[in-house]
Amino acid sequence: MTPFRKRRDGDKKIEIKPNLIKRLGEFILFGNWKTIKGKFIHAFMNIAIAAVLMLVVALTTFIWLRDHALTLAEQRGPMAQAAMGLDSGLQRSLSAIRGWVSVPDKHFLKVYKDTWSAQVWPSFNKLKKLGESNDNEEIIEKLKELNPKLVLLFNIQWTIADIAHTTGNNPALKFTKLSVAPVLKGIIGLVDGVIELQEQSGLTDSRKVALLKNLKSQLLLSSHALQAYALTQHESDHQEFLTYFNSALALSEDKDLYPNGGEDTWINQEAKRLYNSLTPELLAYQFLSQEAVYLVQDGETNIANQWLEFRAMPLEIEITKLLNNIVETQQTLLAYGSQQVADVGSVAPWVMALLIASTFTIAVLLAVFAAMQLVRPISNLSSATKKLASHQLNKDLPVSSKDELGQLTISFNKMRASLQASEEQTEKLLLNTLPKSIVKRLRNGEELIVDQLNDVSVVFLDLVGFTKLASSVPPKRLIQILSYLFAHFDTLVEKHHLEKIKTIGDAYMVAGGAPEPNKKHLENSIEFALEVVKSLDKFNKKHKTKLQVRVGVHVGQVIAGVIGQSRFTYDLWGDTVNIASRMESHGIPNSVQVTDAVYNRLKNKYDFEKRGEIEIKGKEGEHKVYLVKGKKLK
């Protein structure tokens, strides 16, 4: 890491290293001693100074706690009072709105408006202002939630107050006034007309006039009861309506009510006309009144009541819960603050004794801390030794001092580096003979490594003409050629993400999908085989040789594992290995021969030439084989 640099005019560069603070702390605790004895003496001197400082801090904390408890008690009371005042105002406004909806008395409306302007909004503004200086997150969140709910409740109550006594508020009442009332007015007019004609005729029938007036009275009473039923939905109003209406019907059927002959004067004719109109009008009144009753019973009544019951009251309950939570929280905090004051006052005599004990305890703790600082390098060395024994340490320990422990740490780091270099060399040798994942399993202590792999491609290749070449060139040249070819094959194995299994003489065995699965292992194996054939042609041209290669590939299930004790070998066994070997031995030089299983999986990606059927040693019947010609052109 590059150190920070600070320059001053006329001065040399001053380097401020990142670990300056750490070194300063160590100097304060241990001084500049280079021996463990000196560090112990310096540390205990600092512990005594720290004990005095802690005593001063404890006294300061005691005074602050007392003042803070008093301040807390002073802040919580007003907010609780404001919340309770707001809740009281909401209850009062709800009662006023409920009264206004039930009875069209403007006193209720005035109470509702005055409550909001004189109590609800002032209490909320006070609560909001107090909340701005509150440090309780729960209270702040509840105040944020309260604001939109309160505005919504105000709008709902205003809407209820506005529509409560309008015709459109009550469909049944509206129907009564607009449809039933005009018919009733016509009936009353007819009755009044008959009474007037009776009086004008000079032959007034007192019983008939009494019946007509009683009929008029019963009809008017039934109309009032019907309107009351539409307004209140009370069954008693409905029964009252039915009583008055049935009484009116009974009166309308009294024979004494109607004319019984007499002279055919214009007055009698007019009276008969009025009587003839009365019956259908009564029937119309009966029908329309029943329709109004149906509207009430279907629930299409009093929108203001519905808003009050299903919107205003539930919302008011939610707001009340919020306010109750705020009050409870404030009361809890207030009680806590009061308790703090009481506690501080009650424990004051014991505080000094406690501070003395605390000072002693802190001194002991600092002594322990100083000892731990001195012992830590030893503990680090002990822990590092265990990690080194379990091959888990791969970096040097930091040298934190120049004393005896620092010199010991330097020696340990040299030993660790030497062991690590030796282990790296050993692992490199293992990786030359075993797959990386197998080496890891061996290092983790796995003694018997056996895996059954269900999808593995096996490639065998054999150099054709190598035996003849061996008899015509010097041994050194022969090994150079074989080493060059196999090294090139090794490069191709890595390129195509395959695993080299072994070499036997001039034969070379490769596996795909082992020991780690690979979805494209079969394609990789075919590409490897084709590239081997192609590269051997280039080799022959360059080195003027006539070597050829037979390649066989099969895919299927194998058993893989590590055998040997003094010299480990990773190998494969099973029919898949044997069949792949037969594909090579029965193959054609400079060709890649594969089984029917390989063909079926890659026939859509590669061009194949059907060679025919061959017998495979150890397998009954003949087996189809194919020669891979190359990848299909897109």
Side-chain angles (χ1 to χ4, degrees), residues 102 225 228-240 296 305:
S102 301
Y229 180 47
L231 185 63
T232 65
Q233 301 92 47
H234 292 160
E235 184 59 28
S236 59
D237 293 327
H238 181 212
Q239 293 301 324
E240 186 176 358
V296 175
N305 257 337

Side-chain angles (χ1 to χ4, degrees), residues 1-298:
M1 181 180 291
T2 305
F4 299 100
R5 293 181 175 86
K6 180 179 179 182
R7 290 191 181 186
R8 295 180 180 177
D9 295 338
D11 293 340
K12 295 181 180 180
K13 293 181 180 179
I14 299 176
E15 294 187 357
I16 303 176
K17 298 184 178 180
N19 59 354
L20 179 61
I21 296 176
K22 179 181 176 182
R23 291 185 178 181
L24 181 62
E26 291 177 351
F27 175 77
I28 292 173
L29 188 61
F30 298 119
N32 198 26
W33 298 89
K34 294 185 178 180
T35 62
I36 296 177
K37 179 180 178 181
K39 288 183 177 181
F40 267 111
I41 294 173
H42 193 90
F44 281 114
M45 290 175 61
N46 284 327
I47 289 171
I49 296 172
V52 175
L53 291 176
M54 288 302 300
L55 182 61
V56 174
V57 171
L59 286 171
T60 306
T61 303
F62 167 73
I63 296 171
W64 175 86
L65 179 61
R66 182 194 63 189
D67 294 341
H68 177 71
L70 291 172
T71 304
L72 184 66
E74 292 173 358
Q75 289 179 346
R76 304 304 179 188
M79 180 170 281
Q81 293 174 0
M84 288 187 289
L86 177 57
D87 184 47
S88 174
L90 291 176
Q91 296 290 344
R92 188 180 179 194
S93 72
L94 186 64
S95 298
I97 283 293
R98 189 183 289 110
W100 169 246
V101 170
S102 301
V103 181
D105 186 347
K106 290 190 176 181
H107 169 72
F108 292 115
L109 196 60
K110 184 177 184 302
V111 171
Y112 148 71
K113 293 179 179 179
D114 291 345
T115 301
W116 274 96
S117 60
Q119 185 175 358
V120 175
W121 288 124
S123 297
F124 174 70
N125 291 331
K126 181 179 179 181
L127 188 63
K128 186 177 179 182
K129 186 175 180 180
L130 291 170
E132 292 175 355
S133 59
N134 198 292
D135 56 355
N136 188 284
E137 292 294 332
E138 183 180 356
I139 296 295
I140 293 172
E141 289 300 319
K142 282 182 169 54
L143 288 176
K144 289 180 180 179
E145 187 179 352
L146 177 63
N147 191 7
K149 289 182 181 292
L150 199 61
V151 173
L152 179 60
L153 180 62
F154 172 77
N155 291 331
I156 291 174
Q157 288 191 0
W158 182 87
T159 303
I160 293 171
D162 188 51
I163 69 171
H165 296 290
T166 60
T167 304
N169 175 55
N170 192 326
L173 184 62
K174 178 180 179 181
F175 182 80
T176 302
K177 289 183 176 182
L178 297 182
S179 298
V180 181
V183 174
L184 178 64
K185 184 177 181 182
I187 295 173
I188 299 301
L190 290 173
V191 173
D192 288 339
V194 173
I195 294 173
E196 185 177 352
L197 287 174
Q198 286 286 327
E199 292 174 350
Q200 288 180 1
S201 66
L203 300 172
T204 304
D205 186 343
S206 59
R207 172 171 169 73
K208 184 176 294 187
V209 172
L211 287 172
L212 288 170
K213 289 182 178 180
N214 194 12
L215 174 62
K216 176 182 175 181
S217 174
Q218 295 299 313
L219 288 172
L220 289 173
L221 289 172
S222 71
S223 176
H224 291 321
L226 180 61
Q227 290 188 23
Y229 180 47
L231 185 63
T232 65
Q233 301 92 47
H234 292 160
E235 184 59 28
S236 59
D237 293 327
H238 181 212
Q239 293 301 324
E240 186 176 358
F241 160 73
L242 292 176
T243 301
Y244 290 133
F245 183 73
N246 290 332
S247 177
L249 283 180
L251 289 171
S252 68
E253 294 173 357
D254 194 324
K255 294 181 180 180
D256 293 337
L257 186 67
Y258 297 95
N260 50 5
E263 298 180 3
D264 190 14
T265 63
W266 70 270
I267 292 178
N268 287 335
Q269 291 177 356
E270 185 65 22
K272 291 179 179 179
R273 186 183 66 80
L274 292 175
Y275 278 118
N276 290 335
S277 300
L278 181 61
T279 300
E281 289 294 329
L282 284 171
L283 291 175
Y285 178 69
Q286 180 182 10
F287 173 76
L288 293 174
S289 298
Q290 190 60 44
E291 286 295 320
V293 170
Y294 289 155
L295 286 176
V296 175
Q297 292 175 347
D298 288 343

Side-chain angles (χ1 to χ4, degrees), residues 296-497:
V296 175
Q297 292 175 347
D298 288 343
E300 299 182 11
T301 56
N302 208 329
I303 297 173
N305 257 337
Q306 292 179 354
W307 273 52
L308 180 63
E309 181 179 356
F310 297 110
R311 298 194 66 178
M313 292 178 65
L315 184 58
E316 193 273 337
I317 291 172
E318 290 183 22
I319 295 175
T320 298
K321 287 182 179 179
L322 277 176
L323 293 173
N324 288 338
N325 286 337
I326 292 174
V327 171
E328 289 174 2
T329 303
Q330 291 302 314
Q331 289 176 342
T332 301
L333 294 174
L334 183 61
Y336 174 71
S338 302
Q339 187 63 39
Q340 279 187 318
V341 175
D343 291 344
V344 171
S346 63
V347 301
W350 304 95
V351 171
M352 291 307 299
L354 180 61
L355 290 177
I356 294 172
S358 300
T359 303
F360 176 77
T361 303
I362 292 171
V364 173
L365 291 175
L366 285 174
V368 173
F369 174 74
M372 289 175 62
Q373 289 294 103
L374 293 171
V375 173
R376 182 176 290 115
I378 300 175
S379 299
N380 290 342
L381 280 171
S382 175
S383 176
T385 303
K386 294 178 181 178
K387 288 183 178 180
L388 187 63
S390 59
H391 308 283
Q392 295 179 359
L393 187 65
N394 54 6
K395 61 179 180 180
D396 288 341
L397 290 178
V399 181
S400 58
S401 64
K402 296 181 180 179
D403 55 18
E404 298 90 337
L405 293 175
Q407 296 299 321
L408 181 61
T409 303
I410 293 173
S411 300
F412 177 83
N413 287 337
K414 290 180 180 179
M415 178 184 69
R416 185 208 62 79
S418 176
L419 289 174
Q420 183 176 351
S422 176
E423 283 189 359
E424 288 175 353
Q425 183 66 26
T426 302
E427 185 166 357
K428 185 176 180 181
L429 292 173
L430 281 173
L431 290 174
N432 284 335
T433 57
L434 298 174
K436 187 175 182 180
S437 61
I438 299 300
V439 172
K440 184 177 180 180
R441 290 167 66 179
L442 287 171
R443 291 178 65 88
N444 290 336
E446 197 170 340
E447 295 182 357
L448 180 61
I449 297 179
V450 179
D451 298 318
Q452 182 168 329
L453 306 176
N454 295 324
D455 189 26
V456 175
S457 52
V458 180
V459 182
F460 274 95
L461 58 89
D462 185 69
L463 294 175
V464 180
F466 187 79
T467 303
K468 183 177 180 181
L469 181 66
S471 61
S472 61
V473 297
K476 184 177 180 180
R477 173 61 177 162
L478 183 67
I479 296 304
Q480 286 178 341
I481 291 173
L482 190 61
S483 178
Y484 176 86
L485 286 173
F486 281 7
H488 178 64
F489 296 165
D490 291 345
T491 303
L492 295 180
V493 166
E494 291 183 8
K495 174 183 175 182
H496 294 288
H497 308 290

